[in-house]
Amino acid sequence: GESVGLHLPTLSVQEGDNSIINCAYSNSASDYFIWYKQESGKGPQFIIDIRSNMDKRQGQRVTVLLNKTVKHLSLQIAATQPGDSAVYFCAENISSGGGTSYGKLTFGQGTILTVHP
Amino acid sequence: DGGITQSPKYLFRKEGQNVTLSCEQNLNHDAMYWYRQDPGQGLRLIYYSQIVNDFQKGDIAEGYSVSREKKESFPLTVTSAQKNPTAFYLCASSMVRGQPQHFGDGTRLSIL
């Protein structure tokens, strides 16, 4: 039978523009969030993380914003470059009983970012 | 350099055959994980291990088995019971308490 592939969200930007990639998470008990970048044929690469007691965290050219009220996470990339082209995943960690996080992550579907020179 | 090594990069399996994917880390991480990634999808957790000689099923463990005899090694066996094994398999490791997982570069498994 015919198979139907999933279509990932896509974002196309011009080199030098700022990019914003969004992610909705599902569980209000999630206490730790990570953004990963995955290039074709490679494993995901850690970009930045944020804990639920924060609403903003900045790295080099990247900023993550967390809105717990609406369960929304975003990744902002400043001055996007062609080398930023990849699939970007958000991941959430749901706190285990006792309040400690042992690192079991649930991943989103991903967003394809294409940067045009 | 510290990191996670997965081998082989490409693997082919015949019908009815078990195959084992290797994952080694020299990051001194306690926890290790196996994920499966299908085209256009996110990662799904197969098995994870928080400590040597202990491991837990993830969301899609059926048809897979693991062992954790050494801290640095977490091999995954894809058994003949896994009816749709063609996928990209990713291994990761982390310190146990809420630290980011670091990934290897994956093994792509195909059926002959």
Side-chain angles (χ1 to χ4, degrees):
Chain A
E2 181 180 0
S3 64
V4 179
L6 291 174
H7 297 283
L8 295 182
T10 59
L11 176 64
S12 292
V13 300
Q14 291 296 126
E15 182 177 2
D17 287 351
N18 296 335
S19 302
I20 300 176
I21 300 171
N22 296 303
C23 179
Y25 64 93
S26 56
N27 197 314
S28 57
S30 295
D31 63 353
Y32 176 61
F33 305 86
I34 308 176
W35 280 101
Y36 286 95
K37 171 187 179 183
Q38 187 178 25
E39 296 173 309
S40 181
K42 294 191 173 182
Q45 177 185 358
F46 170 81
I47 303 173
I48 192 167
D49 57 2
I50 188 168
R51 300 195 184 278
S52 59
N53 60 353
M54 304 171 69
D55 53 22
K56 180 179 180 179
R57 190 163 187 224
Q58 289 184 290
Q60 187 177 11
R61 281 203 307 121
V62 294
T63 300
V64 55
L65 299 178
L66 175 62
N67 185 331
K68 294 182 286 294
T69 302
V70 295
K71 296 202 286 286
H72 183 267
L73 192 68
S74 69
L75 176 71
Q76 300 177 3
I77 305 173
T80 316
Q81 302 167 1
D84 294 326
S85 295
V87 179
Y88 288 80
F89 292 98
C90 65
E92 61 184 298
N93 182 106
I94 300 170
S95 177
S96 63
T100 58
S101 300
Y102 58 79
K104 182 166 175 270
L105 297 174
T106 299
F107 284 79
Q109 186 182 358
T111 295
I112 301 172
L113 174 65
T114 303
V115 183
H116 301 283
Chain B
D1 287 346
I4 300 174
T5 301
Q6 290 188 241
S7 62
K9 191 167 180 65
Y10 300 96
L11 187 58
F12 298 91
R13 194 191 89 169
K14 294 181 181 178
E15 294 287 345
Q17 190 179 50
N18 293 353
V19 290
T20 297
L21 284 59
S22 170
C23 179
E24 303 278 330
Q25 55 100 359
N26 61 3
L27 299 167
N28 200 33
H29 284 167
D30 293 309
M32 296 187 75
Y33 313 81
W34 274 105
Y35 292 90
R36 170 183 172 134
Q37 186 175 33
D38 292 286
Q41 297 190 38
L43 282 64
R44 292 184 290 167
L45 183 65
I46 305 173
Y47 268 99
Y48 64 101
S49 168
Q50 295 175 252
I51 196 168
V52 174
N53 292 323
D54 183 61
F55 48 83
Q56 307 294 329
K57 291 182 179 180
D59 301 318
I60 55 165
E62 186 175 350
Y64 300 98
S65 65
V66 293
S67 62
R68 186 85 187 276
E69 297 176 2
K70 299 187 294 183
K71 186 176 183 178
E72 59 270 22
S73 179
F74 191 41
L76 173 74
T77 297
V78 183
T79 75
S80 57
Q82 172 49 244
K83 297 307 179 188
N84 184 24
T86 298
F88 190 46
Y89 290 87
L90 288 158
C91 178
S93 70
S94 73
M95 297 304 291
V96 177
R97 292 181 182 274
Q99 296 296 315
Q101 293 179 21
H102 297 268
F103 286 83
D105 275 339
T107 293
R108 189 166 300 280
L109 176 62
S110 302
I111 299 303
L112 290 176

